[in-house]
Amino acid sequence: MDDGARRPEYVDACRRALIAQVALALNPLSLVATCCLALGLPVLEEVTGTPPISTLLLSQVSFVVAMLLMLATAVAFFAWLQRARSNAHALTGEPPAHGSAFAIAVWLIPCANCWLPLTVVREVDRKSDPTRGGSPWLLGGWWVAYLAMHFAIGRLATAVDRRAMGLWFFAWVASALVAATLAILVIRRIQKNQIALVTRADAHAIAAEFA
Protein backbone atom coordinates (compact mmCIF):
# COMPACT_ATOMS: atom_id res chain seq x y z
CA MET A 1 0.00 0.00 0.00
CA ASP A 2 1.83 2.94 -1.23
CA ASP A 3 -0.61 5.66 -2.21
CA GLY A 4 -0.55 6.95 1.33
CA ALA A 5 -2.82 6.55 4.33
CA ARG A 6 -4.50 9.91 3.75
CA ARG A 7 -7.90 9.46 2.20
CA PRO A 8 -8.15 11.43 -1.07
CA GLU A 9 -11.20 13.38 -2.20
CA TYR A 10 -13.51 12.02 -4.86
CA VAL A 11 -12.86 13.70 -8.23
CA ASP A 12 -15.22 13.22 -11.16
CA ALA A 13 -13.66 10.89 -13.75
CA CYS A 14 -16.34 11.12 -16.44
CA ARG A 15 -14.19 13.11 -18.86
CA ARG A 16 -11.25 10.73 -18.56
CA ALA A 17 -13.62 7.78 -18.93
CA LEU A 18 -15.13 9.28 -22.09
CA ILE A 19 -11.72 9.94 -23.65
CA ALA A 20 -10.59 6.38 -22.86
CA GLN A 21 -13.77 4.91 -24.36
CA VAL A 22 -13.46 6.96 -27.57
CA ALA A 23 -9.80 5.94 -27.93
CA LEU A 24 -10.71 2.29 -27.36
CA ALA A 25 -13.42 2.46 -30.02
CA LEU A 26 -11.09 4.08 -32.56
CA ASN A 27 -8.53 1.26 -32.38
CA PRO A 28 -10.60 -1.55 -33.92
CA LEU A 29 -12.38 0.88 -36.25
CA SER A 30 -9.04 1.92 -37.74
CA LEU A 31 -8.18 -1.74 -38.25
CA VAL A 32 -11.55 -2.44 -39.91
CA ALA A 33 -10.97 0.54 -42.22
CA THR A 34 -7.55 -0.85 -43.11
CA CYS A 35 -9.12 -4.24 -43.89
CA CYS A 36 -11.66 -2.59 -46.20
CA LEU A 37 -8.90 -0.72 -48.00
CA ALA A 38 -6.76 -3.84 -48.33
CA LEU A 39 -9.68 -5.77 -49.82
CA GLY A 40 -10.92 -2.92 -52.00
CA LEU A 41 -7.67 -1.73 -53.55
CA PRO A 42 -7.02 -4.91 -55.60
CA VAL A 43 -10.59 -4.69 -56.97
CA LEU A 44 -10.05 -1.03 -57.85
CA GLU A 45 -6.78 -1.94 -59.54
CA GLU A 46 -8.53 -4.55 -61.69
CA VAL A 47 -11.27 -2.11 -62.70
CA THR A 48 -9.01 0.85 -63.50
CA GLY A 49 -5.95 -1.09 -64.63
CA THR A 50 -3.64 1.10 -62.56
CA PRO A 51 -2.62 0.50 -58.96
CA PRO A 52 -3.83 3.47 -56.85
CA ILE A 53 -1.31 2.78 -54.10
CA SER A 54 1.10 0.08 -53.16
CA THR A 55 -0.54 -2.55 -50.96
CA LEU A 56 2.74 -3.03 -49.12
CA LEU A 57 2.97 0.71 -48.41
CA LEU A 58 -0.64 0.70 -47.22
CA SER A 59 0.00 -2.16 -44.80
CA GLN A 60 3.09 -0.45 -43.42
CA VAL A 61 1.33 2.89 -42.93
CA SER A 62 -1.73 1.25 -41.37
CA PHE A 63 0.46 -0.71 -38.96
CA VAL A 64 2.22 2.48 -37.83
CA VAL A 65 -1.11 4.29 -37.40
CA ALA A 66 -2.51 1.38 -35.41
CA MET A 67 0.53 1.34 -33.13
CA LEU A 68 0.24 5.10 -32.53
CA LEU A 69 -3.44 4.70 -31.74
CA MET A 70 -2.68 1.89 -29.32
CA LEU A 71 -0.13 4.10 -27.56
CA ALA A 72 -2.61 6.99 -27.29
CA THR A 73 -5.26 4.59 -26.01
CA ALA A 74 -2.89 3.24 -23.36
CA VAL A 75 -2.20 6.78 -22.11
CA ALA A 76 -5.94 7.58 -21.97
CA PHE A 77 -6.74 4.29 -20.22
CA PHE A 78 -3.97 4.74 -17.64
CA ALA A 79 -5.15 8.30 -16.91
CA TRP A 80 -8.67 7.03 -16.26
CA LEU A 81 -7.47 4.03 -14.25
CA GLN A 82 -5.37 6.17 -11.91
CA ARG A 83 -8.35 8.44 -11.25
CA ALA A 84 -10.65 5.44 -10.74
CA ARG A 85 -8.17 3.92 -8.25
CA SER A 86 -8.02 7.20 -6.32
CA ASN A 87 -11.82 7.47 -6.30
CA ALA A 88 -12.18 3.89 -5.07
CA HIS A 89 -9.91 4.83 -2.15
CA ALA A 90 -11.94 7.99 -1.52
CA LEU A 91 -15.27 6.15 -1.54
CA THR A 92 -14.33 3.12 0.53
CA GLY A 93 -11.52 4.45 2.73
CA GLU A 94 -9.48 1.38 1.77
CA PRO A 95 -6.09 2.31 0.25
CA PRO A 96 -5.05 0.50 -2.94
CA ALA A 97 -2.98 -2.63 -2.47
CA HIS A 98 -0.20 -1.17 -4.62
CA GLY A 99 1.09 2.29 -5.47
CA SER A 100 0.50 4.28 -8.63
CA ALA A 101 3.93 3.48 -10.07
CA PHE A 102 3.32 -0.25 -9.64
CA ALA A 103 -0.15 0.01 -11.22
CA ILE A 104 1.45 1.38 -14.41
CA ALA A 105 4.72 -0.60 -14.37
CA VAL A 106 2.97 -4.00 -14.26
CA TRP A 107 1.65 -3.42 -17.79
CA LEU A 108 5.24 -3.20 -19.06
CA ILE A 109 6.99 -6.02 -17.16
CA PRO A 110 7.34 -9.14 -19.36
CA CYS A 111 5.48 -12.22 -18.08
CA ALA A 112 4.07 -10.28 -15.11
CA ASN A 113 1.99 -8.24 -17.54
CA CYS A 114 0.08 -11.40 -18.40
CA TRP A 115 -1.90 -11.29 -15.13
CA LEU A 116 -0.86 -8.49 -12.73
CA PRO A 117 -2.64 -5.66 -14.63
CA LEU A 118 -5.86 -7.64 -14.32
CA THR A 119 -5.49 -7.69 -10.52
CA VAL A 120 -5.13 -3.88 -10.52
CA VAL A 121 -8.36 -3.38 -12.48
CA ARG A 122 -10.13 -6.12 -10.51
CA GLU A 123 -9.32 -4.33 -7.25
CA VAL A 124 -10.93 -1.11 -8.54
CA ASP A 125 -13.98 -3.05 -9.78
CA ARG A 126 -14.39 -4.84 -6.45
CA LYS A 127 -14.14 -1.66 -4.38
CA SER A 128 -16.55 0.14 -6.71
CA ASP A 129 -19.15 -2.60 -6.20
CA PRO A 130 -18.74 -3.66 -2.56
CA THR A 131 -22.15 -5.34 -2.30
CA ARG A 132 -21.54 -7.82 -5.15
CA GLY A 133 -17.75 -7.88 -5.19
CA GLY A 134 -17.24 -6.89 -8.83
CA SER A 135 -17.81 -8.68 -12.11
CA PRO A 136 -15.18 -11.41 -12.62
CA TRP A 137 -16.77 -12.76 -15.82
CA LEU A 138 -16.67 -9.40 -17.58
CA LEU A 139 -13.11 -8.72 -16.47
CA GLY A 140 -12.01 -12.26 -17.36
CA GLY A 141 -13.49 -12.05 -20.84
CA TRP A 142 -11.88 -8.68 -21.46
CA TRP A 143 -8.49 -9.94 -20.31
CA VAL A 144 -8.58 -13.08 -22.47
CA ALA A 145 -9.44 -10.95 -25.52
CA TYR A 146 -6.68 -8.47 -24.62
CA LEU A 147 -4.07 -11.24 -24.41
CA ALA A 148 -5.34 -12.78 -27.67
CA MET A 149 -4.97 -9.41 -29.39
CA HIS A 150 -1.34 -9.07 -28.34
CA PHE A 151 -0.63 -12.68 -29.31
CA ALA A 152 -2.03 -11.98 -32.79
CA ILE A 153 0.13 -8.83 -33.08
CA GLY A 154 3.22 -10.85 -32.15
CA ARG A 155 2.46 -13.56 -34.70
CA LEU A 156 1.73 -10.95 -37.37
CA ALA A 157 5.10 -9.30 -36.75
CA THR A 158 6.90 -12.63 -37.34
CA ALA A 159 4.76 -13.92 -40.23
CA VAL A 160 6.78 -14.52 -43.40
CA ASP A 161 4.18 -15.23 -46.11
CA ARG A 162 1.20 -13.18 -47.19
CA ARG A 163 -1.37 -15.82 -46.28
CA ALA A 164 -0.13 -16.01 -42.69
CA MET A 165 0.04 -12.23 -42.49
CA GLY A 166 -3.56 -11.98 -43.65
CA LEU A 167 -4.80 -14.58 -41.18
CA TRP A 168 -3.04 -13.00 -38.20
CA PHE A 169 -4.13 -9.52 -39.26
CA PHE A 170 -7.77 -10.63 -39.24
CA ALA A 171 -7.18 -12.33 -35.88
CA TRP A 172 -5.80 -9.03 -34.60
CA VAL A 173 -8.88 -7.16 -35.85
CA ALA A 174 -11.32 -9.66 -34.35
CA SER A 175 -9.64 -9.81 -30.94
CA ALA A 176 -9.20 -6.01 -30.89
CA LEU A 177 -12.93 -5.56 -31.52
CA VAL A 178 -13.83 -7.89 -28.65
CA ALA A 179 -11.19 -6.48 -26.28
CA ALA A 180 -12.18 -2.86 -26.98
CA THR A 181 -15.90 -3.59 -26.54
CA LEU A 182 -15.36 -5.37 -23.22
CA ALA A 183 -12.90 -2.72 -22.00
CA ILE A 184 -15.53 -0.04 -22.67
CA LEU A 185 -18.06 -2.09 -20.69
CA VAL A 186 -15.56 -2.40 -17.82
CA ILE A 187 -15.03 1.37 -17.75
CA ARG A 188 -18.78 2.05 -17.90
CA ARG A 189 -19.48 -0.44 -15.14
CA ILE A 190 -16.87 1.01 -12.78
CA GLN A 191 -17.98 4.57 -13.53
CA LYS A 192 -21.65 3.70 -12.92
CA ASN A 193 -20.86 1.99 -9.61
CA GLN A 194 -18.61 4.80 -8.37
CA ILE A 195 -21.21 7.44 -9.25
CA ALA A 196 -23.83 5.38 -7.39
CA LEU A 197 -21.55 5.19 -4.34
CA VAL A 198 -20.82 8.92 -4.27
CA THR A 199 -24.52 9.75 -4.78
CA ARG A 200 -25.43 7.48 -1.88
CA ALA A 201 -22.74 9.07 0.29
CA ASP A 202 -24.01 12.57 -0.58
CA ALA A 203 -27.56 11.55 0.25
CA HIS A 204 -26.47 10.19 3.64
CA ALA A 205 -24.50 13.37 4.36
CA ILE A 206 -27.54 15.56 3.54
CA ALA A 207 -29.82 13.37 5.67
CA ALA A 208 -27.38 13.56 8.58
CA GLU A 209 -27.19 17.35 8.26
CA PHE A 210 -30.94 17.76 8.58
CA ALA A 211 -31.49 14.99 11.13
Side-chain angles (χ1 to χ4, degrees):
M1 280 178 230
D2 170 16
D3 279 343
R6 186 174 65 83
R7 186 170 179 170
E9 292 184 1
Y10 175 87
V11 180
D12 182 69
C14 289
R15 180 175 295 180
R16 292 191 183 191
L18 178 61
I19 293 172
Q21 290 176 79
V22 170
L24 283 163
L26 286 176
N27 270 282
L29 288 178
S30 70
L31 294 177
V32 170
T34 301
C35 280
C36 293
L37 284 172
L39 293 173
L41 283 176
V43 176
L44 184 61
E45 181 179 350
E46 284 185 13
V47 172
T48 62
T50 56
I53 190 172
S54 165
T55 304
L56 178 59
L57 177 61
L58 173 67
S59 63
Q60 292 172 339
V61 171
S62 63
F63 188 81
V64 171
V65 170
M67 292 297 104
L68 291 175
L69 269 174
M70 286 181 66
L71 179 60
T73 302
V75 171
F77 183 82
F78 289 155
W80 166 79
L81 181 60
Q82 291 296 74
R83 178 62 54 80
R85 293 176 75 244
S86 176
N87 284 343
H89 183 187
L91 293 169
T92 64
E94 181 184 346
H98 305 287
S100 299
F102 176 89
I104 299 300
V106 291
W107 296 80
L108 308 173
I109 302 172
C111 297
N113 59 8
C114 290
W115 79 90
L116 283 179
L118 177 61
T119 66
V120 173
V121 180
R122 182 180 292 161
E123 181 189 22
V124 179
D125 183 50
R126 177 182 58 78
K127 290 180 180 177
S128 303
D129 188 17
T131 56
R132 289 181 293 180
S135 178
W137 288 106
L138 175 59
L139 288 176
W142 160 61
W143 194 247
V144 168
Y146 174 81
L147 293 178
M149 179 185 71
H150 283 275
F151 178 77
I153 292 172
R155 294 305 301 264
L156 175 62
T158 58
V160 292
D161 62 273
R162 294 187 65 175
R163 182 174 179 276
M165 289 175 66
L167 288 174
W168 286 115
F169 184 80
F170 281 112
W172 177 14
V173 173
S175 55
L177 277 168
V178 176
T181 301
L182 294 179
I184 290 171
L185 292 177
V186 168
I187 292 174
R188 292 174 66 87
R189 170 187 163 77
I190 290 175
Q191 283 297 113
K192 180 192 72 174
N193 289 335
Q194 290 192 347
I195 290 171
L197 284 176
V198 76
T199 303
R200 195 178 311 152
D202 288 345
H204 289 166
I206 293 171
E209 186 178 340
F210 289 96

